[in-house]
């Protein structure tokens, strides 16, 4: 019985270090994900603000009118 216990001990001994390494990696990944979520939220707010400015510019009476063009990527005449 003692041989089996020694075998299991040798096999399971590195497990705590591997678990700790995985936990640290997961923590860092969550931090990076949170940081990216914050950046994404800032970008969405900026895009919303720019969209609002564009809308206000269209309704502003003194703004120059931009003629729509029928140019496309395939028809540049």
């Amino acid at each position: 019985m003692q041989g089996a216990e020694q075998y299991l001990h040798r096999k399971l001994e590195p497990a705590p270090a591997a678990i700790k390494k995985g936990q640290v990696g997961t923590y860092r990944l969550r931090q990076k994900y949170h940081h990216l979520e914050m950046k994404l939220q800032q970008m969405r707010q900026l895009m919303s603000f720019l969209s609002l400015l564009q809308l206000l510019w269209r309704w502003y009476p003194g703004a120059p009118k931009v003629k729509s063009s029928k140019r496309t990527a395939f028809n540049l005449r």
Side-chain angles (χ1 to χ4, degrees):
M1 185 70 162
Q2 196 172 15
E5 289 177 4
Q6 289 175 348
Y7 174 79
L8 283 174
H9 180 73
R10 279 193 312 258
K11 290 295 181 182
L12 296 177
E13 186 176 15
I19 291 170
K20 180 68 174 173
K21 185 177 179 182
Q23 288 174 338
V24 169
T26 302
Y27 175 75
R28 287 183 183 152
L29 184 62
R30 286 183 177 155
Q31 279 185 321
K32 288 180 182 180
Y33 182 76
H34 178 71
H35 179 74
L36 288 174
E37 279 185 321
M38 298 303 289
K39 289 291 184 185
L40 181 60
Q41 182 181 3
Q42 289 174 346
M43 291 301 297
R44 285 181 175 156
Q45 289 174 344
L46 177 62
M47 295 303 292
S48 294
F49 179 70
L50 292 175
S51 179
L52 177 63
L53 285 178
Q54 184 181 22
L55 182 67
L56 291 174
W57 182 256
R58 287 182 187 164
W59 287 98
Y60 183 70
K65 301 297 178 196
V66 177
K67 294 182 181 180
S68 65
S69 174
K70 294 189 179 190
R71 292 183 184 180
T72 65
F74 302 105
N75 180 14
L76 297 176
R77 291 185 238 152

